Amino acid sequence: MKALIQHRDRIIRVDQFQIAENALAKTYLTADMSVGTTLTVKDITGFAIAKYVWINPFQANSEIIAMHAATAPTGSTLTLAATTVFAHVTGEPVLYIEFNQVEVNHAATLTGSKTVLATSAMIAREKEFTYLDTTQTTGFYFARYKSSVATTYGDYSDGVT
């Protein structure tokens, strides 16, 4: 997946909404939960180990958590690698996504070698990730999505000046 990027006044904005729109699978919670490591959902079809769930995207209690690396989804249960931070209620959407981080890069030219300026967790409550750059005055910015578990990357965005 290719990141969408904008730049203005040294603020780089990277779209996170398309991560939700292009989720690998979608379902919803069928039981309320306090903080915990398992989710009870309507359908586990398409969910597997080693990627991420995005619970209740863009809401106050939204969070992105890695799936458990060895416990495959079964029945109506998704097992997480870490405990949720928030309580969640029946009906909240659960998305299965490939990436959990945004990487911002800079290059002197459109085709030049890229230098990583920042790698940060996606902000689950926001539709875009923002980064303030105070170091570069010329050149091009690029962004891409990253999986911190698998160390895999999406495609670089187009360069913006």
Side-chain angles (χ1 to χ4, degrees):
M1 178 181 319
K2 187 176 190 176
L4 301 174
I5 185 173
Q6 297 176 14
H7 171 247
R8 183 175 171 195
D9 299 329
R10 297 186 149 211
I11 298 173
I12 295 102
R13 299 180 192 285
V14 182
D15 179 73
Q16 296 183 152
F17 189 75
Q18 72 171 337
I19 295 285
E21 282 190 327
N22 293 296
L24 303 170
K26 299 177 184 181
T27 190
Y28 61 89
L29 295 174
T30 57
D32 293 351
M33 65 171 290
S34 56
V35 295
T37 58
T38 59
L39 305 176
T40 304
V41 298
K42 172 69 176 165
D43 186 9
I44 63 167
T45 303
F47 287 80
I49 61 171
K51 294 202 188 308
Y52 307 91
V53 293
W54 192 348
I55 307 166
N56 209 21
F58 313 119
Q59 304 305 313
N61 68 338
S62 181
E63 52 190 320
I64 297 170
I65 301 174
M67 292 287 293
H68 194 274
T71 306
T74 183
S76 61
T77 303
L78 301 176
T79 303
L80 307 176
T83 303
T84 60
V85 173
F86 303 107
H88 295 279
V89 297
T90 300
E92 287 183 0
V94 177
L95 309 180
Y96 185 53
I97 61 172
E98 191 171 1
F99 305 107
N100 69 325
Q101 295 182 330
V102 175
E103 182 184 272
V104 177
N105 296 267
H106 180 267
T109 65
L110 268 176
T111 57
S113 61
K114 296 167 183 66
T115 302
V116 176
L117 298 177
T119 302
S120 182
M122 288 176 35
I123 302 177
R125 292 174 207 82
E126 302 294 330
K127 292 186 179 178
E128 65 183 14
F129 171 85
T130 58
Y131 174 76
L132 173 64
D133 179 36
T134 59
T135 60
Q136 304 300 325
T137 56
T138 62
F140 296 85
Y141 293 107
F142 301 85
R144 64 182 176 173
Y145 303 115
K146 179 182 177 183
S147 166
S148 65
V149 169
T151 316
T152 56
Y153 300 88
D155 296 331
Y156 280 109
S157 67
D158 293 333
V160 294
T161 56

